[in-house]
C-alpha cells in the first residue's frame, strides 16, 4: 500500500513539473519578444479564501521589475490535499511578487492572494 502511494506521488510530481514547464513554453510563445521582458517562473505561498494555505509554482508573462504580469499556476492546498490550477494578475518588484488569482477545478472557483520570490530585471 505504501509503495503505491509513493508511486502515485511521484507521478503527480512529474505531472506538475511537466505542466509548469508546458505553461512556461506556452507563455513564451504567446508573448512577443520586446521591451516587455521575458516570461519567468517562481514558487510562492497563496492564501485561498475559505480553503487555507497553498504552495505552488507560477509562470509570469514578464520578468520586468516594477510591472504587472499575467500569471498561470498550480498550487497544492495543504488543508485539503488537493491541487488548485489558477490564473491571475501579479505585480513584480525587486525580486518579489504579489498576486491575486482565481482558482478552478472540480469543486468550483475560489479566490487567493499570494507572495513569493521571483527573478526580476530592470
Amino acid at each position: 500500500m505504501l509503495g503505491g502511494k509513493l508511486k502515485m506521488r511521484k507521478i503527480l510530481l512529474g505531472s506538475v513539473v511537466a505542466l509548469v514547464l508546458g505553461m512556461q513554453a506556452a507563455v513564451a510563445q504567446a508573448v512577443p519578444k520586446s521591451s516587455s521582458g521575458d516570461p519567468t517562473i517562481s514558487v510562492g505561498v497563496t492564501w485561498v479564501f475559505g480553503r487555507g494555505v497553498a504552495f505552488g509554482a507560477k509562470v509570469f508573462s514578464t520578468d520586468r521589475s516594477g510591472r504587472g504580469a499575467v500569471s498561470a499556476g498550480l498550487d497544492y492546498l495543504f488543508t485539503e490535499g488537493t491541487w488548485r490550477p489558477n490564473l491571475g494578475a501579479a505585480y513584480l518588484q525587486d525580486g518579489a511578487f504579489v498576486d491575486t488569482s482565481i482558482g478552478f477545478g472540480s469543486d468550483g472557483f475560489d479566490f487567493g492572494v499570494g507572495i513569493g520570490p521571483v527573478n526580476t530585471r530592470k
Side-chain angles (χ1 to χ4, degrees):
M1 185 74 175
L2 183 60
K5 285 185 179 182
L6 289 175
K7 184 176 181 180
M8 184 57 107
R9 286 186 183 188
K10 285 182 181 180
I11 291 170
L12 284 173
L13 181 60
S15 299
V16 169
V17 170
L19 179 63
V20 169
L21 293 175
M23 287 187 307
Q24 182 183 20
V27 170
Q29 292 296 320
V31 177
K33 298 288 183 196
S34 67
S35 62
S36 65
D38 295 321
T40 189
I41 61 174
S42 181
V43 295
V45 177
T46 302
W47 175 257
V48 182
F49 293 94
R51 298 181 74 187
V53 177
F55 179 79
K58 295 192 182 288
V59 178
F60 299 100
S61 59
T62 185
D63 63 352
R64 294 290 188 155
S65 184
R67 300 233 176 128
V70 175
S71 67
L74 185 63
D75 296 333
Y76 181 76
L77 286 154
F78 293 105
T79 55
E80 299 176 8
T82 59
W83 295 98
R84 177 186 178 262
N86 60 80
L87 297 172
Y91 183 75
L92 285 61
Q93 182 70 44
D94 297 331
F97 74 85
V98 176
D99 79 328
T100 60
S101 60
I102 297 175
F104 50 92
S106 60
D107 52 348
F109 294 92
D110 57 33
F111 178 74
V113 293
I115 59 171
V118 66
N119 188 17
T120 58
R121 63 185 175 122
K122 297 280 180 193

